[in-house]
Amino acid sequence: MILSMTGFGHSVIDTEVGQLSASVRSVNSRYLDIKIRGLNIDPKVERDIRQLISKNLIRGSVQISFEIGINSSSSNSFSFNKDRFEAIDETLKMISQNYSYTINPGDFIRASDILSDNRLDNLNSDDIIKVANEAIIQLNDMRELEGDKIYMDLVSRLTTLKKGVKSLEKLNKSFANNRKEKLQNRLQKLLGNHELDESRLIQEVAILAERADVTEEIVRSKSHYEQLGNLLDSGDSIGKRFTFLIQEVFREINTIGSKNGSIDVINQVIEMKDELEKIREQAQNIL
Protein backbone atom coordinates (compact mmCIF):
# COMPACT_ATOMS: atom_id res chain seq x y z
CA MET A 1 0.00 0.00 0.00
CA ILE A 2 1.22 3.48 -0.84
CA LEU A 3 -0.04 6.85 0.39
CA SER A 4 -0.54 10.08 -1.47
CA MET A 5 0.79 13.30 0.04
CA THR A 6 -2.41 15.16 -0.91
CA GLY A 7 -5.38 15.11 1.43
CA PHE A 8 -7.88 17.01 3.56
CA GLY A 9 -9.47 16.36 6.93
CA HIS A 10 -11.99 18.24 9.04
CA SER A 11 -13.27 17.59 12.55
CA VAL A 12 -15.62 19.37 15.00
CA ILE A 13 -16.10 18.66 18.71
CA ASP A 14 -18.19 20.31 21.43
CA THR A 15 -16.27 21.90 24.29
CA GLU A 16 -17.22 23.90 27.37
CA VAL A 17 -16.41 27.14 25.52
CA GLY A 18 -18.13 26.32 22.21
CA GLN A 19 -17.58 24.17 19.12
CA LEU A 20 -13.93 23.65 18.31
CA SER A 21 -13.06 22.71 14.72
CA ALA A 22 -9.83 21.74 12.99
CA SER A 23 -9.15 21.63 9.26
CA VAL A 24 -5.93 20.07 7.99
CA ARG A 25 -4.77 19.91 4.40
CA SER A 26 -1.56 18.65 2.83
CA VAL A 27 0.09 18.83 -0.57
CA ASN A 28 3.28 17.29 -1.93
CA SER A 29 6.64 18.54 -0.72
CA ARG A 30 10.15 17.14 -0.48
CA TYR A 31 10.11 17.57 3.30
CA LEU A 32 7.62 17.99 6.14
CA ASP A 33 6.53 21.62 6.44
CA ILE A 34 3.93 22.38 9.17
CA LYS A 35 1.91 25.58 9.55
CA ILE A 36 -0.57 26.14 12.41
CA ARG A 37 -3.26 28.81 12.00
CA GLY A 38 -6.30 30.21 13.78
CA LEU A 39 -5.59 30.10 17.53
CA ASN A 40 -2.90 31.53 19.70
CA ILE A 41 -1.91 28.15 21.08
CA ASP A 42 0.31 27.52 24.07
CA PRO A 43 3.85 26.57 22.91
CA LYS A 44 3.64 23.17 24.64
CA VAL A 45 0.35 22.34 22.89
CA GLU A 46 1.79 23.52 19.56
CA ARG A 47 4.77 21.22 20.07
CA ASP A 48 2.44 18.29 20.76
CA ILE A 49 0.46 19.05 17.58
CA ARG A 50 3.65 19.18 15.52
CA GLN A 51 4.77 15.84 16.95
CA LEU A 52 1.34 14.36 16.16
CA ILE A 53 1.55 15.56 12.56
CA SER A 54 5.16 14.39 12.17
CA LYS A 55 4.29 10.91 13.44
CA ASN A 56 1.21 10.44 11.25
CA LEU A 57 1.86 12.41 8.05
CA ILE A 58 5.67 12.04 7.77
CA ARG A 59 6.12 14.25 4.67
CA GLY A 60 4.32 17.01 2.80
CA SER A 61 3.36 20.66 3.17
CA VAL A 62 0.76 20.57 5.95
CA GLN A 63 -1.48 23.38 7.20
CA ILE A 64 -3.81 22.94 10.15
CA SER A 65 -6.34 25.63 11.11
CA PHE A 66 -8.43 25.89 14.29
CA GLU A 67 -11.66 27.81 14.90
CA ILE A 68 -14.00 28.27 17.86
CA GLY A 69 -17.67 28.67 16.99
CA ILE A 70 -19.90 31.10 18.88
CA ASN A 71 -23.00 29.64 20.53
CA SER A 72 -25.43 30.66 23.28
CA SER A 73 -23.07 29.57 26.04
CA SER A 74 -20.22 31.65 24.62
CA SER A 75 -22.11 34.83 23.67
CA ASN A 76 -20.73 36.71 26.68
CA SER A 77 -17.19 35.47 26.23
CA PHE A 78 -15.81 38.69 24.73
CA SER A 79 -14.55 41.60 26.84
CA PHE A 80 -13.97 45.19 25.77
CA ASN A 81 -10.42 46.48 26.17
CA LYS A 82 -11.30 50.04 27.23
CA ASP A 83 -7.72 51.23 27.86
CA ARG A 84 -6.50 50.09 24.45
CA PHE A 85 -9.44 51.67 22.66
CA GLU A 86 -8.89 55.03 24.38
CA ALA A 87 -5.14 54.91 23.60
CA ILE A 88 -5.85 54.31 19.90
CA ASP A 89 -8.49 57.06 19.92
CA GLU A 90 -6.05 59.58 21.48
CA THR A 91 -3.40 58.68 18.90
CA LEU A 92 -5.81 59.26 16.00
CA LYS A 93 -6.83 62.64 17.46
CA MET A 94 -3.18 63.69 17.79
CA ILE A 95 -2.55 62.79 14.15
CA SER A 96 -5.56 64.86 13.08
CA GLN A 97 -4.50 67.91 15.12
CA ASN A 98 -0.79 67.89 14.28
CA TYR A 99 -0.89 66.79 10.66
CA SER A 100 -4.37 67.83 9.52
CA TYR A 101 -4.96 64.28 8.41
CA THR A 102 -8.03 62.37 9.50
CA ILE A 103 -8.03 58.60 9.82
CA ASN A 104 -11.36 56.81 10.03
CA PRO A 105 -11.20 54.60 13.15
CA GLY A 106 -13.29 51.97 11.36
CA ASP A 107 -10.57 51.61 8.71
CA PHE A 108 -7.83 51.36 11.29
CA ILE A 109 -9.13 49.38 14.26
CA ARG A 110 -9.71 45.67 13.93
CA ALA A 111 -12.03 43.77 16.25
CA SER A 112 -9.05 41.90 17.67
CA ASP A 113 -7.47 45.24 18.68
CA ILE A 114 -10.16 46.03 21.25
CA LEU A 115 -11.96 42.72 21.88
CA SER A 116 -10.49 39.81 23.81
CA ASP A 117 -11.87 36.30 23.46
CA ASN A 118 -11.93 35.00 27.03
CA ARG A 119 -12.76 31.49 25.85
CA LEU A 120 -9.13 30.88 24.86
CA ASP A 121 -8.14 31.06 28.52
CA ASN A 122 -10.58 28.26 29.35
CA LEU A 123 -9.96 26.08 26.30
CA ASN A 124 -8.77 22.61 27.30
CA SER A 125 -5.52 21.63 25.60
CA ASP A 126 -6.72 18.00 25.41
CA ASP A 127 -9.64 19.16 23.25
CA ILE A 128 -7.23 20.84 20.84
CA ILE A 129 -5.17 17.66 20.53
CA LYS A 130 -8.33 15.55 20.15
CA VAL A 131 -9.85 17.60 17.32
CA ALA A 132 -6.46 17.80 15.57
CA ASN A 133 -6.02 14.02 15.77
CA GLU A 134 -9.49 13.33 14.33
CA ALA A 135 -8.84 15.71 11.42
CA ILE A 136 -5.47 14.03 10.74
CA ILE A 137 -7.15 10.59 10.70
CA GLN A 138 -9.60 11.87 8.06
CA LEU A 139 -6.74 13.30 6.01
CA ASN A 140 -4.87 9.99 6.14
CA ASP A 141 -8.01 8.15 4.99
CA MET A 142 -8.12 10.42 1.93
CA ARG A 143 -4.39 9.92 1.37
CA GLU A 144 -4.93 6.16 1.40
CA LEU A 145 -7.78 6.31 -1.13
CA GLU A 146 -5.77 8.45 -3.51
CA GLY A 147 -2.72 6.26 -2.91
CA ASP A 148 -4.70 3.20 -4.08
CA LYS A 149 -5.49 4.95 -7.37
CA ILE A 150 -1.87 5.97 -7.86
CA TYR A 151 -0.76 2.40 -7.08
CA MET A 152 -3.01 0.90 -9.77
CA ASP A 153 -1.81 3.44 -12.33
CA LEU A 154 1.88 2.84 -11.54
CA VAL A 155 1.53 -0.95 -11.65
CA SER A 156 -0.10 -0.69 -15.08
CA ARG A 157 2.64 1.59 -16.42
CA LEU A 158 5.41 -0.61 -15.00
CA THR A 159 3.86 -3.56 -16.84
CA THR A 160 4.05 -1.53 -20.06
CA LEU A 161 7.70 -0.71 -19.41
CA LYS A 162 8.56 -4.37 -18.76
CA LYS A 163 7.06 -5.29 -22.12
CA GLY A 164 9.06 -2.48 -23.69
CA VAL A 165 12.37 -3.71 -22.31
CA LYS A 166 11.61 -7.23 -23.61
CA SER A 167 11.11 -5.73 -27.05
CA LEU A 168 14.43 -3.92 -26.76
CA GLU A 169 16.11 -7.17 -25.75
CA LYS A 170 14.81 -8.91 -28.90
CA LEU A 171 15.84 -5.99 -31.09
CA ASN A 172 19.30 -6.01 -29.54
CA LYS A 173 19.81 -9.72 -30.33
CA SER A 174 18.78 -9.33 -33.96
CA PHE A 175 20.83 -6.14 -34.42
CA ALA A 176 24.10 -7.84 -35.40
CA ASN A 177 22.52 -10.03 -38.09
CA ASN A 178 20.53 -7.16 -39.57
CA ARG A 179 23.59 -4.93 -39.49
CA LYS A 180 25.68 -7.56 -41.26
CA GLU A 181 23.08 -8.04 -44.00
CA LYS A 182 22.68 -4.31 -44.65
CA LEU A 183 26.42 -3.68 -44.66
CA GLN A 184 27.02 -6.65 -46.94
CA ASN A 185 24.45 -5.44 -49.47
CA ARG A 186 25.83 -1.92 -49.41
CA LEU A 187 29.43 -3.03 -49.89
CA GLN A 188 28.48 -5.43 -52.68
CA LYS A 189 26.88 -2.58 -54.60
CA LEU A 190 29.99 -0.47 -54.12
CA LEU A 191 32.42 -3.23 -55.09
CA GLY A 192 30.43 -4.45 -58.09
CA ASN A 193 32.09 -7.59 -59.46
CA HIS A 194 35.03 -7.41 -57.05
CA GLU A 195 35.25 -10.10 -54.39
CA LEU A 196 34.03 -9.17 -50.89
CA ASP A 197 36.34 -10.07 -47.98
CA GLU A 198 33.94 -12.00 -45.74
CA SER A 199 36.31 -12.13 -42.77
CA ARG A 200 36.83 -8.37 -42.93
CA LEU A 201 33.09 -7.87 -43.10
CA ILE A 202 32.51 -10.07 -40.05
CA GLN A 203 35.16 -8.13 -38.15
CA GLU A 204 33.59 -4.74 -38.93
CA VAL A 205 30.12 -5.97 -38.06
CA ALA A 206 31.42 -7.34 -34.75
CA ILE A 207 32.92 -3.96 -33.89
CA LEU A 208 29.69 -2.14 -34.75
CA ALA A 209 27.60 -4.67 -32.85
CA GLU A 210 29.80 -4.35 -29.76
CA ARG A 211 29.48 -0.57 -29.78
CA ALA A 212 25.71 -0.82 -30.14
CA ASP A 213 25.20 -3.65 -27.65
CA VAL A 214 22.86 -2.62 -24.85
CA THR A 215 22.73 -5.86 -22.88
CA GLU A 216 24.10 -4.24 -19.70
CA GLU A 217 21.56 -1.42 -19.88
CA ILE A 218 18.72 -3.90 -20.39
CA VAL A 219 19.84 -6.00 -17.41
CA ARG A 220 20.03 -2.93 -15.18
CA SER A 221 16.62 -1.73 -16.39
CA LYS A 222 15.07 -5.09 -15.47
CA SER A 223 16.63 -4.84 -12.02
CA HIS A 224 15.24 -1.31 -11.56
CA TYR A 225 11.74 -2.44 -12.58
CA GLU A 226 11.87 -5.26 -10.04
CA GLN A 227 12.94 -2.83 -7.31
CA LEU A 228 10.17 -0.39 -8.26
CA GLY A 229 7.59 -3.16 -8.01
CA ASN A 230 8.95 -4.26 -4.61
CA LEU A 231 8.77 -0.67 -3.34
CA LEU A 232 5.13 -0.33 -4.41
CA ASP A 233 4.24 -3.43 -2.37
CA SER A 234 6.41 -2.58 0.65
CA GLY A 235 3.91 -0.28 2.38
CA ASP A 236 6.68 2.09 3.48
CA SER A 237 7.29 5.75 2.75
CA ILE A 238 8.77 5.19 -0.71
CA GLY A 239 8.48 8.50 -2.57
CA LYS A 240 12.14 9.56 -2.53
CA ARG A 241 13.53 6.10 -3.34
CA PHE A 242 10.95 5.60 -6.07
CA THR A 243 11.86 8.93 -7.69
CA PHE A 244 15.57 8.06 -7.55
CA LEU A 245 15.01 4.73 -9.32
CA ILE A 246 12.92 6.42 -12.02
CA GLN A 247 15.87 8.72 -12.72
CA GLU A 248 18.13 5.68 -13.06
CA VAL A 249 15.73 4.06 -15.53
CA PHE A 250 15.69 7.27 -17.58
CA ARG A 251 19.48 7.12 -17.74
CA GLU A 252 19.51 3.52 -18.96
CA ILE A 253 16.82 4.15 -21.61
CA ASN A 254 18.63 7.24 -22.90
CA THR A 255 21.85 5.22 -23.20
CA ILE A 256 20.06 2.49 -25.14
CA GLY A 257 18.68 5.06 -27.57
CA SER A 258 22.07 6.66 -28.12
CA LYS A 259 24.01 3.38 -28.55
CA ASN A 260 21.60 1.56 -30.83
CA GLY A 261 20.39 3.85 -33.60
CA SER A 262 17.97 1.52 -35.35
CA ILE A 263 14.59 3.05 -36.06
CA ASP A 264 12.75 0.27 -34.20
CA VAL A 265 14.84 0.83 -31.07
CA ILE A 266 14.41 4.59 -31.22
CA ASN A 267 10.62 4.27 -31.54
CA GLN A 268 10.50 1.86 -28.60
CA VAL A 269 12.69 4.18 -26.51
CA ILE A 270 10.38 7.15 -27.24
CA GLU A 271 7.33 5.17 -26.07
CA MET A 272 9.10 4.08 -22.89
CA LYS A 273 10.29 7.59 -22.08
CA ASP A 274 6.72 8.83 -22.44
CA GLU A 275 5.56 6.23 -19.89
CA LEU A 276 8.46 7.09 -17.58
CA GLU A 277 7.54 10.77 -17.65
CA LYS A 278 3.99 9.95 -16.58
CA ILE A 279 5.33 7.73 -13.80
CA ARG A 280 7.66 10.50 -12.64
CA GLU A 281 4.73 12.93 -12.43
CA GLN A 282 2.77 10.47 -10.30
CA ALA A 283 5.79 9.74 -8.10
CA GLN A 284 5.97 13.42 -7.09
CA ASN A 285 2.86 12.86 -4.98
CA ILE A 286 3.87 9.59 -3.32
CA LEU A 287 4.60 9.75 0.41
Side-chain angles (χ1 to χ4, degrees):
M1 180 187 71
I2 64 174
L3 295 176
S4 166
M5 275 191 285
T6 301
F8 175 80
H10 180 74
S11 179
V12 180
I13 63 173
D14 290 318
T15 71
E16 295 180 357
V17 298
Q19 284 192 329
L20 176 64
S21 66
S23 297
V24 57
R25 66 185 70 245
S26 69
V27 294
N28 60 322
S29 174
R30 292 184 63 188
Y31 309 103
L32 179 63
D33 179 29
I34 303 172
K35 296 182 177 63
I36 301 176
R37 300 282 188 266
L39 299 181
N40 186 17
I41 300 175
D42 181 85
K44 181 181 181 302
V45 179
E46 179 177 337
R47 183 196 64 194
D48 292 341
I49 292 173
R50 290 183 178 275
Q51 289 178 346
L52 184 65
I53 292 174
S54 299
K55 179 181 177 180
N56 288 277
L57 302 186
I58 302 174
R59 190 160 69 100
S61 178
V62 181
Q63 178 173 306
I64 183 166
S65 302
F66 297 93
E67 289 185 0
I68 302 180
I70 298 176
N71 53 28
S72 58
S73 64
S74 59
S75 58
N76 297 321
S77 61
F78 292 94
S79 61
F80 175 58
N81 191 333
K82 179 174 176 292
D83 293 336
R84 181 164 178 79
F85 175 78
E86 290 179 352
I88 294 174
D89 186 54
E90 287 296 323
T91 301
L92 295 179
K93 288 178 180 178
M94 182 271 292
I95 293 174
S96 177
Q97 291 172 0
N98 294 343
Y99 300 98
S100 300
Y101 186 81
T102 301
I103 299 177
N104 186 340
D107 296 333
F108 180 78
I109 302 176
R110 298 173 299 173
S112 59
D113 290 329
I114 57 175
L115 295 177
S116 299
D117 191 347
N118 299 326
R119 295 175 301 169
L120 298 179
D121 297 331
N122 300 317
L123 185 59
N124 191 320
S125 60
D126 290 339
D127 288 334
I128 300 177
I129 299 298
K130 179 182 178 181
V131 75
N133 185 59
E134 290 180 358
I136 290 170
I137 290 174
Q138 283 194 17
L139 184 148
N140 259 337
D141 288 342
M142 183 178 290
R143 276 183 158 188
E144 185 174 337
L145 288 173
E146 186 171 338
D148 289 341
K149 295 178 182 178
I150 294 175
Y151 172 85
M152 297 302 295
D153 182 69
L154 290 176
V155 168
S156 175
R157 296 191 186 282
L158 276 176
T159 300
T160 300
L161 287 175
K162 289 177 181 179
K163 292 179 180 178
V165 81
K166 286 183 179 180
S167 296
L168 288 176
E169 191 171 19
K170 292 179 181 179
L171 292 169
N172 182 57
K173 290 180 179 178
S174 63
F175 177 80
N177 293 331
N178 293 337
R179 196 70 168 176
K180 177 182 177 182
E181 184 178 349
K182 290 180 180 180
L183 186 58
Q184 188 175 21
N185 293 334
R186 187 178 302 174
L187 289 175
Q188 195 65 61
K189 289 180 180 180
L190 292 174
L191 293 173
N193 295 326
H194 294 81
E195 184 178 352
L196 179 64
D197 187 344
E198 187 69 22
S199 62
R200 180 62 177 173
L201 173 63
I202 294 174
Q203 184 180 2
E204 292 297 328
V205 170
I207 294 173
L208 289 172
E210 184 179 358
R211 291 176 181 173
D213 184 71
V214 292
T215 301
E216 292 184 10
E217 288 78 9
I218 289 174
V219 170
R220 284 195 293 266
S221 294
K222 287 182 176 181
S223 174
H224 294 329
Y225 294 150
E226 184 176 353
Q227 292 179 68
L228 287 169
N230 291 338
L231 279 177
L232 287 177
D233 294 328
S234 67
D236 299 326
S237 176
I238 66 170
K240 291 182 179 179
R241 286 176 292 169
F242 198 90
T243 300
F244 171 77
L245 281 173
I246 289 298
Q247 292 173 347
E248 293 300 303
V249 175
F250 259 110
R251 186 175 293 110
E252 303 298 346
I253 298 302
N254 279 329
T255 302
I256 291 172
S258 62
K259 289 178 69 172
N260 190 318
S262 71
I263 189 64
D264 291 334
V265 168
I266 291 175
N267 287 337
Q268 185 63 62
V269 165
I270 291 173
E271 290 182 12
M272 294 177 70
K273 288 175 71 173
D274 183 56
E275 284 296 313
L276 281 168
E277 188 59 43
K278 292 173 182 176
I279 290 177
R280 181 158 59 182
E281 290 175 2
Q282 286 280 41
Q284 299 301 314
N285 201 34
I286 295 177
L287 178 62

